[in-house]
Amino acid sequence: NGARFGPRAIRTMERIGPYNHALNIVPEAVCKIADVGDVPFRSRFKLEQCIEDIEVHFRRIIESDVRPLGIGGDHSISYPILKAIAAKHGPVAMVHIDAHCDTSGEYDGSKFHHGGPFRLAVLEGLIDPDRTIQIGIRGSAEFLWELSYEAGMTVIHAEEFAEMGVATVIEKARAVVGDGPVYVTFDVDGLDPAFAPGTGTPEVGGLTPREAQALLRGLAGLNVVGGDLVEVAPQYDATTNTVQVGAQMAFEILCLMALRFEIVGE
Ligand code: MN
Ligand code: MN
């Protein structure tokens, strides 16, 4: 609901890019990049159909040899996007930054909600749980995430992140995902609400933007075939900081995709 305003808010951000000094890259100088607009829905009243519409839209993009960076919207969008990603690449590795594992079952009678996209992705073979790492997990919903553990996903809680330090988390993430195609999904609630209060399910004790930037930059060189930045609900943050950090994290993911293109030309 609230995150429906995320894309238009992120489009208003001006002070993002074009240069990323840490990765020494200007994505637009390396590849063609475009905002291809919103996913058209046949009806906003039919949830299952909306999920289909997202998949169809992303399939067209991916079949054209374009790597997508989706802007949510809530985290439920990752499931149909991953369906389109897996149709091309098979089950992919995943780096997931979030306060929540989002591997829960049905809620209010539906499996299509923002707390469960990665349960569906595992059960349907869209992501490889052995090559998936979930980072920044915290809050009081731990009992919902049993599938993460049972399926063999690597879970790094926020407090473990603090103990390990960024460099060790990067090392772990790279070891888990390996060399194959990897999807990077960033829920803005992975950040501490001190920096990103504009989101539907804020959880105290999260990553700082600097930690998250360092983590993403530490993935440089990986074969990032797609990604998303979700859960920005701008109306809950009158300062616009959530939009600012959300747009910056999206830019960091974009830089990873451009960097890979610069290195290997694909
Ligand atoms: Mn999420
Ligand atoms: Mn979350």
Side-chain angles (χ1 to χ4, degrees):
N1 194 347
R4 71 193 181 281
F5 294 124
R8 75 179 70 168
I10 284 171
R11 285 184 174 111
T12 66
M13 279 293 124
E14 293 172 351
R15 294 191 50 77
I16 303 294
Y19 179 51
N20 185 325
H21 76 273
L23 295 175
N24 188 29
I25 193 163
V26 177
E28 285 176 296
V30 176
C31 38
K32 290 180 186 165
I33 300 165
D35 176 355
V36 295
D38 298 328
V39 175
F41 291 130
R42 285 167 287 171
S43 166
R44 78 192 80 176
F45 299 113
K46 296 175 181 166
L47 180 57
E48 282 78 358
Q49 190 175 281
C50 289
I51 298 277
E52 271 176 29
D53 290 342
I54 295 173
E55 181 190 345
V56 167
H57 194 73
F58 276 79
R59 269 181 188 263
R60 280 197 204 109
I61 292 168
I62 292 163
E63 282 164 8
S64 310
D65 258 344
V66 174
R67 297 192 174 197
L69 175 58
I71 305 292
D74 78 22
H75 223 154
S76 65
I77 69 164
S78 299
Y79 164 63
I81 296 172
L82 282 167
K83 284 180 92 166
I85 289 272
K88 178 170 175 106
H89 300 283
V92 291
M94 190 170 79
V95 176
H96 173 200
I97 296 152
D98 201 326
H100 315 94
C101 290
D102 293 349
T103 48
S104 92
E106 284 193 10
Y107 190 82
D108 279 357
S110 175
K111 59 182 180 177
F112 301 122
H113 57 84
H114 75 160
F118 305 117
R119 182 186 198 89
L120 302 176
V122 168
L123 295 178
E124 295 181 24
L126 313 178
I127 59 174
D128 177 357
D130 291 330
R131 292 184 290 129
T132 293
I133 186 164
Q134 306 186 288
I135 301 167
I137 310 306
R138 61 192 188 278
S140 53
E142 186 70 22
F143 65 98
L144 292 173
W145 314 141
E146 60 186 2
L147 182 108
S148 289
Y149 302 101
E150 286 177 11
M153 295 157 108
T154 300
V155 178
I156 309 276
H157 292 91
E159 53 276 17
E160 294 173 277
F161 189 105
E163 280 166 23
M164 293 167 75
V166 181
T168 308
V169 175
I170 290 168
E171 205 177 302
K172 182 74 180 170
R174 296 188 74 107
V176 168
V177 303
D179 297 326
V182 57
Y183 190 78
V184 178
T185 183
F186 197 115
D187 183 327
V188 83
D189 73 27
L191 300 172
D192 193 88
F195 305 101
T199 193
T201 49
E203 305 281 3
V204 170
L207 276 58
T208 67
R210 197 162 58 191
E211 286 170 335
Q213 263 178 315
L215 171 60
L216 289 172
R217 290 166 178 179
L219 305 178
L222 294 185
N223 185 16
V224 180
V225 294
D228 59 48
L229 180 285
V230 298
E231 300 283 358
V232 170
Q235 65 274 41
Y236 304 144
D237 178 4
T239 70
T240 73
N241 285 346
T242 308
V243 183
Q244 178 89 28
V245 293
Q248 183 67 43
M249 296 308 152
F251 179 67
E252 300 290 345
I253 298 169
L254 178 68
C255 289
L256 292 176
M257 293 198 279
L259 193 66
R260 174 74 182 191
F261 186 80
E262 190 179 55
I263 295 168
V264 300
E266 56 148 355

